[in-house]
């Protein structure tokens, strides 16, 4: 296989002399280090208030439901309310990140950890929200397992309002700022970074749009003004 | 799959005579273009983003060796492994070796055009490993042993009744009297069936919408979430991607994501966009233990530095299919291989050879719609013409068409001759057809008159009218 590596690279290099654009290794190296932002749509650069409104509108447009609450302590109550209203059994699997919330104030049956095939409802914590398309950004890690986003039929996702940004690039910038001073990808890139825009869907059968193809059929987003404990 | 592009004419006739297909194509081509237009209208920066997306890929192709090595370095940093594959054989073998090493019995798969290209499913089956397609459309066509008929809507050619029939046939363990009349019931049955497969799979095989050199990540875009269950549950994640999928940075990926879904389905953003980097980290509670990327060439480096290089910008959104008058009439299967539409007509000859695919570059009216909607601004009509020119100069087209074209070329290069011939042919046609005003049949014009009448010319050429002053502006 290493000979194939050489073969491919040799062929790429041999073709360069006939190329339309000029090769520019210095420019390419700089591009990787600078990760400059390209054109960002105006609607991804609104003020904080307008941004929050846009986030909600866009998320609702893609069939998510959204509520905003003030205190993080009220999250369990909101989860219980949503499940009751949607006629879903009051049993959740949550991300360990949310374990410190006052769950005992509700009658919810709770557990935390990775999702298995039997979990019907997950409660997850997003790394960020992006207003331009109503997108949630989640990262994998010990406190935020990836499978919770995808296996249960209902996903309730918590996002702090201070972490709702205008555009994708701002979310990337926040990722890179996690370990100030350290700038190699190994310092900022999680194993899995997910952008989630609405609940799962498919139109593969006669182009009929159906929610809940493999991932969740319902996505309920709780925007919380407080920071999570 | 065995290409049938050679039988293009027979394939076309079959497609035109298939009412289910015709109905589906009508729906598809009325739906996607309208939604694309609406999404573009909501984003004033759309055209500017297309320019930048094009420039990003041009920059990558000009520095491809650098970016490939960067990408490999980052994947290795994570503890992943890059396998370089010259051709389909090497890619298949690399995948099989990884599967063998972990004693894999089942492999879940999220939709990958490269997977189709190297026919990985057949190969795994031959070697005693069960591949399971998990995209709903792909699952259906896998059960039916058919190739995809559209890049992003692989089962577009089927009715729900056909899907129900397929499920009754495949899921024998379920009650025979269950109702599968509604798409919802079909979706739920597939969801249930595939759930077991996701959880039991040893290896997850995905494609990649992009590979990011900065971070060594692969990007996966789906609406169903099947790719996410494919990479997160099994012990091993294998990514199969062709080498032109590289983009430099996360920011560059964001730019391409902004044009991808809008061009494909008219969504602002697909539901799930995922960036996977290496195997799971030491303290991660879930995710795969092994991460492999198969980097496939399979003829792509042949296109670098040629007039077909720009084809390597393609992000497989399917917009050119949805807008193509030829695709809209015949669907994807007629093209006879895994790709179709204008992008297929350009790409297939370069991947399986012109001998096999000689009809495809001619299956276009060169109306230019494909280029006008391509998010990466690929000059598809120019490349179709380039193939035709190559066929002509290499004498791959039929003797008759070459003779007629040579005569035609000689004539148009000598304007007095052209005008003389034109004037007399038109005069003659006008004379012959003056009674009915149309021709139902005309020698040498059967290709036109079998399907519709030819209107009779008015009697004078434009040049004559102009000279006589008849055509002067009022």
């Amino acid at each position: 296989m290493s000979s194939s590596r050489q073969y491919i690279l040799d062929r790429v290099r041999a073709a360069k002399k006939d190329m339309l654009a000029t090769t520019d290794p210095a420019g390419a190296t700089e591009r990787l280090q600078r990760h400059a932002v390209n054109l960002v749509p105006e609607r991804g650069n609104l003020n904080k208030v307008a941004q929050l409104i846009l986030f909600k509108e866009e998320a609702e447009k893609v069939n998510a439901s959204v509520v905003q609450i003030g205190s993080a302590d009220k999250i369990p109550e909101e989860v219980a309310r949503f499940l009751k209203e949607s006629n879903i059994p009051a049993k959740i699997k949550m991300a360990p990140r949310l374990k410190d919330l006052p769950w005992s104030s509700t009658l919810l049956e709770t557990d935390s950890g990775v999702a298995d095939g039997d979990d019907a409802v997950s409660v997850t914590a997003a790394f960020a929200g992006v207003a331009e398309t109503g997108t949630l950004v989640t990262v994998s890690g010990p406190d935020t397992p990836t499978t919770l986003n995808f296996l249960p039929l209902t996903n309730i996702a918590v996002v702090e309002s201070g972490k709702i940004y205008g555009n994708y690039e701002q979310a990337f910038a926040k990722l890179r700022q996690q370990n100030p001073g350290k700038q190699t990808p190994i310092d900022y890139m999680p194993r899995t970074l997910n952008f989630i825009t609405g609940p799962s869907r498919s139109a593969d059968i006669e182009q009929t749009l159906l929610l809940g193809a493999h991932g969740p059929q319902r996505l309920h987003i709780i925007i919380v003004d407080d920071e999570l404990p | 799959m065995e290409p049938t592009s050679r039988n293009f004419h027979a394939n076309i006739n079959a497609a035109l005579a298939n009412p289910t297909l015709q109905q589906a194509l009508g729906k598809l081509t009325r739906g996607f273009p309208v939604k694309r237009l609406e999404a573009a209208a909501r984003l004033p920066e759309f055209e500017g983003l297309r320019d930048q997306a094009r420039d990003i890929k041009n920059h990558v192709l000009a520095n491809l060796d650098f970016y490939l090595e960067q990408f490999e370095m980052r994947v290795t940093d994570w503890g992943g492994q890059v396998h370089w594959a010259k051709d389909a054989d090497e890619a298949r073998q690399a995948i099989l070796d990884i599967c063998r090493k972990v004693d894999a019995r089942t492999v879940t798969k999220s939709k990958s055009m490269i997977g189709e290209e190297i026919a990985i499913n057949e190969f795994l089956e031959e070697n005693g490993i069960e591949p399971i397609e998990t995209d709903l459309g792909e699952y259906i066509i896998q059960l039916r042993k058919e190739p995809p008929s559209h890049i992003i809507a692989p089962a577009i050619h089927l009715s729900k009744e056909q899907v129900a029939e397929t499920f009754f046939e495949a899921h024998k363990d379920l009650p025979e009297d269950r109702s599968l009349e509604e798409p919802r019931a079909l979706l739920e049955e597939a969801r249930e069936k595939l759930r077991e497969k996701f959880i039991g799979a040893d290896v997850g095989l995905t494609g990649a919408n992009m590979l990011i050199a900065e971070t060594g990540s692969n990007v996966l875009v789906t609406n169903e979430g099947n790719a996410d269950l494919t990479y997160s549950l099994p012990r091993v994640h294998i990514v199969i991607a062709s080498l032109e999928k590289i983009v430099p940075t996360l920011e560059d990926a964001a730019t391409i994501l902004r044009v991808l879904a809008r061009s494909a389905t008219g969504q602002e953003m697909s539901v799930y966009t995922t960036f996977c980097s290496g195997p799971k980290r030491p303290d991660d509670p879930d995710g795969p233990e092994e991460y492999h990327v198969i980097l496939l060439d399979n003829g792509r480096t042949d296109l670098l530095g040629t007039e077909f290089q720009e084809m390597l910008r393609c992000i497989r959104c399917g917009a050119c299919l949805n807008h193509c008058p030829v695709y809209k009439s015949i669907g994807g299967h007629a093209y006879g291989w895994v790709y179709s539409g204008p992008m297929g007509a350009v790409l297939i000859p370069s991947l399986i050879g012109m001998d096999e695919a000689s009809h495809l570059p001619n299956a276009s009216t060169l109306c230019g719609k494909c280029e006008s909607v391509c998010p990466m601004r690929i000059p598809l009509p120019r490349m179709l013409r380039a193939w035709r020119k190559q066929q002509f100069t290499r004498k791959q087209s039929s003797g008759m068409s070459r003779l007629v074209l040579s005569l035609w070329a000689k004539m148009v290069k000598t304007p007095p001759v052209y005008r003389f011939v034109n004037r007399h042919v038109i005069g003659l046609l006008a004379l012959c057809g003056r009674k009915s005003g149309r021709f139902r049949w005309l020698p040498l014009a059967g290709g036109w008159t079998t399907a519709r009448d030819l209107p009779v010319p008015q009697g004078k050429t434009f040049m004559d009218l102009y000279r006589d002053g008849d055509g002067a502006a009022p």
Side-chain angles (χ1 to χ4, degrees):
Chain A
M1 210 66 77
S2 64
S3 68
S4 300
R5 180 183 192 277
Q6 203 50 52
Y7 168 89
I8 290 170
L9 289 172
D10 285 348
R11 291 195 50 94
V12 171
R13 284 173 189 139
K16 275 186 167 184
K17 60 180 190 319
D18 303 316
M19 281 202 189
L20 308 166
T22 45
T23 61
D24 177 14
T29 308
E30 201 210 310
R31 191 180 185 110
L32 289 184
Q33 283 159 0
R34 227 162 43 94
H35 26 76
V37 171
N38 304 314
L39 179 60
V40 171
E42 216 177 286
R43 77 174 207 237
N45 274 323
L46 307 175
N47 65 47
K48 268 280 176 197
V49 178
Q51 211 166 269
L52 195 61
I53 295 170
L54 181 65
F55 175 82
K56 287 184 205 168
E57 281 174 2
E58 292 297 316
E60 281 166 0
K61 231 182 259 175
V62 291
N63 313 84
S65 52
V66 188
V67 296
Q68 186 172 1
I69 60 176
S71 155
D73 288 347
K74 301 277 184 214
I75 292 171
E77 218 172 277
E78 169 56 24
V79 170
R81 185 204 64 78
F82 173 76
L83 293 180
K84 191 171 175 203
E85 181 197 275
S86 318
N87 213 9
I88 300 168
K91 187 180 167 193
I92 62 162
K93 177 73 75 72
M94 72 176 108
R97 175 81 184 83
L98 300 172
K99 267 199 316 207
D100 296 337
L101 295 173
W103 294 102
S104 54
S105 67
T106 65
L107 295 171
L108 291 167
E109 192 182 323
T110 64
D111 190 6
S112 71
V114 302
D116 58 41
D118 300 325
D119 295 313
V121 181
S122 62
V123 185
T124 55
F127 172 81
V130 177
E132 65 171 302
T133 46
T135 299
L136 290 169
V137 181
T138 70
V139 296
S140 60
D143 289 336
T144 48
T146 303
T147 42
L148 286 177
N149 297 327
F150 301 105
L151 271 174
L153 198 57
T154 300
N155 176 213
I156 303 172
V158 177
V159 59
E160 293 148 89
S161 62
K163 291 187 178 169
I164 292 178
Y165 307 113
N167 53 67
Y168 313 125
E169 285 82 347
Q170 288 167 346
F172 292 141
K174 287 290 160 193
L175 264 184
R176 293 199 186 96
Q177 286 163 15
Q178 288 175 109
N179 287 308
K182 293 187 175 176
Q183 277 305 300
T184 54
I186 214 134
D187 299 313
Y188 60 78
M189 202 62 185
R191 146 66 200 172
T192 309
L193 174 70
N194 294 111
F195 283 11
I196 299 173
T197 312
S200 159
R201 67 200 60 204
S202 176
D204 274 350
I205 299 171
E206 288 195 347
Q207 299 162 60
T208 312
L209 182 72
L210 298 169
L211 298 182
H214 287 294
Q217 191 175 349
R218 287 184 211 84
L219 174 64
H220 183 59
I221 302 173
I222 303 176
I223 301 172
V224 56
D225 292 333
D226 276 1
E227 280 185 27
L228 287 172
Chain B
M1 66 175 281
E2 231 12 74
T4 65
S5 307
R6 205 181 273 277
N7 310 328
F8 189 56
H9 289 291
N11 293 350
I12 290 177
N13 288 334
L16 291 173
N18 179 341
T20 315
L21 175 69
Q22 290 302 323
Q23 207 179 0
L25 287 170
K27 210 166 167 185
L28 172 88
T29 54
R30 281 190 304 273
F32 282 155
V34 175
K35 286 181 194 144
R36 176 193 170 275
L37 215 54
E38 287 168 358
R42 266 206 75 201
L43 195 72
E45 296 84 356
F46 190 63
E47 296 303 314
L49 286 164
R50 289 173 66 190
D51 290 340
Q52 288 196 339
R54 173 199 59 204
D55 296 346
I56 290 167
K57 270 309 193 53
N58 281 348
H59 167 79
V60 167
L61 294 173
N63 298 281
L64 190 57
D65 52 338
F66 171 82
Y67 283 119
L68 286 170
E69 287 186 312
Q70 280 291 318
F71 175 77
E72 182 188 36
M73 184 184 88
R74 291 301 178 200
V75 172
T76 314
D77 283 351
W78 295 124
Q81 208 181 334
V82 173
H83 309 257
W84 303 69
K86 279 203 290 275
D87 52 28
D89 270 341
E90 286 192 359
R92 284 189 292 249
Q93 198 55 49
I95 293 170
L96 181 64
D97 289 346
I98 299 165
C99 291
R100 286 257 160 90
K101 235 165 73 188
V102 297
D103 280 326
R105 280 173 308 130
T106 62
V107 174
T108 42
K109 227 184 126 243
S110 77
K111 197 168 89 62
S112 153
M113 291 309 292
I114 302 299
E116 298 289 340
E117 196 179 309
I118 66 169
I120 187 64
N121 289 356
E122 290 90 328
F123 183 74
L124 289 176
E125 272 168 22
E126 283 162 20
N127 286 282
I129 296 170
E130 185 196 359
I132 302 136
E133 292 286 354
T134 61
D135 171 86
L136 180 57
E138 284 283 336
Y139 177 64
I140 295 165
I141 62 168
Q142 186 190 20
L143 292 177
R144 297 174 63 92
K145 300 193 188 315
E146 287 176 8
S149 63
H150 189 284
I151 303 178
I152 62 161
I156 198 73
H157 56 288
L158 299 171
S159 67
K160 62 178 196 283
E161 289 77 17
Q162 286 172 306
V163 178
E165 208 176 290
T166 306
F167 280 12
F168 277 121
E169 187 67 30
H171 306 153
K172 293 274 193 215
D173 53 322
L174 297 174
E176 267 173 49
D177 58 351
R178 68 193 188 279
S179 166
L180 287 181
E181 273 165 36
E182 288 309 311
R184 179 96 241 160
L186 293 165
L187 175 93
E188 274 166 14
E189 183 163 317
R191 183 182 163 108
E192 279 311 304
K193 277 280 154 200
L194 286 166
R195 218 14 103 95
E196 306 156 16
K197 305 283 187 187
F198 278 126
I199 290 172
D202 305 299
V203 171
L205 181 61
T206 71
N209 291 78
M210 287 180 264
L211 303 171
I212 302 181
E214 173 200 348
T215 54
S217 316
N218 71 282
V219 181
L220 293 169
V221 178
T222 75
N223 276 321
E224 299 183 5
N226 60 310
D228 295 282
L229 297 177
T230 301
Y231 69 70
S232 62
L233 296 170
R235 215 146 48 81
V236 179
H237 178 191
I238 305 177
V239 179
I240 165 105
S242 50
L243 43 83
E244 83 282 10
K245 293 279 163 200
I246 296 254
V247 298
T249 62
L250 290 168
E251 281 71 9
D252 294 325
T255 299
I256 291 176
L257 286 170
R258 285 196 181 96
V259 297
L260 173 58
R262 290 181 172 98
S263 301
T265 56
Q267 287 169 282
E268 304 274 341
M269 186 76 165
S270 301
V271 178
Y272 300 113
T273 300
T274 300
F275 305 74
C276 300
S277 314
K280 74 180 205 184
R281 309 291 157 74
D283 50 359
D284 276 352
D286 51 15
E289 284 155 30
E290 285 183 38
Y291 178 75
H292 300 267
V293 181
I294 318 286
L295 264 183
L296 177 70
D297 180 352
N298 210 24
R300 283 162 177 82
T301 50
D302 293 342
L303 304 181
L304 283 174
T306 73
E307 53 200 338
F308 301 107
Q309 171 168 320
E310 290 173 274
M311 194 59 219
L312 298 176
R313 290 204 301 263
C314 178
I315 53 174
R316 310 287 190 263
C317 69
C320 62
L321 280 61
N322 301 338
H323 291 80
C324 175
V326 176
Y327 180 90
K328 286 188 213 183
S329 307
I330 63 174
H333 284 168
Y335 290 80
W337 202 50
V338 296
Y339 300 105
S340 59
M343 60 77 62
V346 171
L347 198 58
I348 296 173
S350 60
L351 296 184
I352 65 172
M354 188 51 93
D355 282 348
E356 191 59 53
S358 64
H359 295 300
L360 301 186
N362 298 298
S364 166
T365 62
L366 301 180
C367 72
K369 192 73 190 167
C370 48
E371 181 176 358
S372 77
V373 297
C374 174
M376 308 304 285
R377 300 202 190 281
I378 299 172
L380 291 155
R382 180 182 66 60
M383 287 190 267
L384 289 167
R385 277 198 297 273
W387 277 128
R388 292 183 190 183
K389 195 170 154 197
Q390 227 180 71
Q391 282 180 336
F392 186 83
T393 51
R394 292 187 187 170
K395 306 198 168 156
Q396 285 166 317
S397 46
S398 79
M400 185 52 140
S401 74
R402 277 206 311 284
L403 178 71
V404 172
L405 280 175
S406 319
L407 288 173
W408 178 260
K410 280 212 178 83
M411 190 170 82
V412 295
K413 276 192 260 180
T414 326
V417 175
Y418 178 78
R419 270 179 230 141
F420 179 84
V421 172
N422 220 4
R423 181 180 302 137
H424 287 86
V425 169
I426 282 176
L428 186 68
L429 287 178
L431 194 67
C432 296
R434 65 183 185 282
K435 253 194 210 150
S436 65
R438 62 205 165 100
F439 291 105
R440 286 196 174 160
W441 176 84
L442 206 61
L444 301 176
W448 179 283
T449 54
T450 46
R452 50 220 177 297
D453 293 347
L454 181 76
V456 168
Q458 295 302 302
K460 274 185 176 181
T461 66
F462 173 78
M463 293 300 282
D464 287 344
L465 288 171
Y466 187 77
R467 191 196 50 213
D468 299 348
D470 294 357

